[in-house]
Amino acid sequence: MDILNELKQREPIFHHPEFGTTRQDFERMTDEAFVEVGASGRQYSREYILEDVLKRYENPEYRGIHAPPENTWKTKDFHCHTIAPNTYLLTYILIQDKRVTRRVSIWQQCSDDWKILYHQGTLVQDPSVELLNA
C-alpha cells in the first residue's frame, strides 16, 4: 500500500510540479530508455517527451492549448503490481473533461527515489460508463 500511495502521487506523470519542473528533474525521474505510447498509438522517445514537458512549464498558454487544465483532471481505480524486484506496474483511469483514458506506467524504485521506465495511455471508446462512476 505504501508503494501504491507513493506512485499515485506521481501520476499523471509530469503534471506534478512538486516533483520538479526543470529538464534535470525530468531526466532524474525518467529512465534513459523511457518511452511513452500515447492514446493515438504513437510512440514517443524520452527526448521528445522531455522537450514537450518543458514547453508546458515554460509557457502556461501552451498547456491550455493541448489539454484541459490539470486541476480539472480526475484519477481513479489505481492498482499496483510487483513485476520484478523494485519494479512496479501501475494502472489507473484518467478523466480529462470528457476524454477518458486507461493509463499504465512501469516504475522502478532506485534508492530513495523513483524512475519511470514506460508509460502508455489508451483512449476509452465509450467513456460514459467511466464518467458515470467518476
Side-chain angles (χ1 to χ4, degrees):
M1 277 313 265
D2 290 339
I3 290 170
L4 174 62
N5 289 330
E6 284 185 45
L7 295 177
K8 279 173 71 170
Q9 294 174 27
R10 296 175 175 273
E11 295 284 358
I13 184 68
F14 307 123
H15 295 279
H16 291 279
E18 63 271 25
F19 293 110
T21 60
T22 68
R23 182 176 184 91
Q24 293 82 2
D25 295 328
F26 299 130
E27 287 175 348
R28 189 181 64 251
M29 72 175 74
T30 56
D31 186 74
E32 288 183 17
F34 172 80
V35 293
E36 177 172 324
V37 176
S40 67
R42 190 174 299 153
Q43 182 170 303
Y44 301 97
S45 68
R46 177 185 190 224
E47 185 60 31
Y48 179 90
I49 294 298
L50 293 179
E51 288 177 17
D52 190 61
V53 170
L54 285 172
K55 287 178 191 174
R56 282 189 237 149
Y57 282 99
E58 291 170 356
N59 181 1
E61 290 178 15
Y62 179 84
R63 299 170 101 172
I65 292 169
H66 296 328
E70 285 95 334
N71 65 357
T72 65
W73 297 358
K74 295 178 184 172
T75 55
K76 68 177 203 164
D77 296 344
F78 280 90
H79 300 281
C80 186
H81 308 278
T82 304
I83 57 174
N86 300 317
T87 307
Y88 304 89
L89 176 75
L90 183 72
T91 61
Y92 64 98
I93 293 173
L94 175 64
I95 301 169
Q96 300 165 290
D97 193 25
K98 294 182 182 178
R99 182 177 192 253
V100 178
T101 51
R102 292 190 179 275
R103 302 289 173 127
V104 61
S105 299
I106 299 176
W107 289 91
Q108 190 166 63
Q109 195 169 29
C110 307
S111 359
D112 62 344
D113 208 0
W114 290 95
K115 278 196 182 286
I116 189 166
L117 308 175
Y118 178 83
H119 181 75
Q120 182 170 340
T122 303
L123 193 59
V124 174
Q125 293 300 315
D126 182 9
S128 59
V129 173
E130 301 301 340
L131 290 172
L132 287 174
N133 297 321

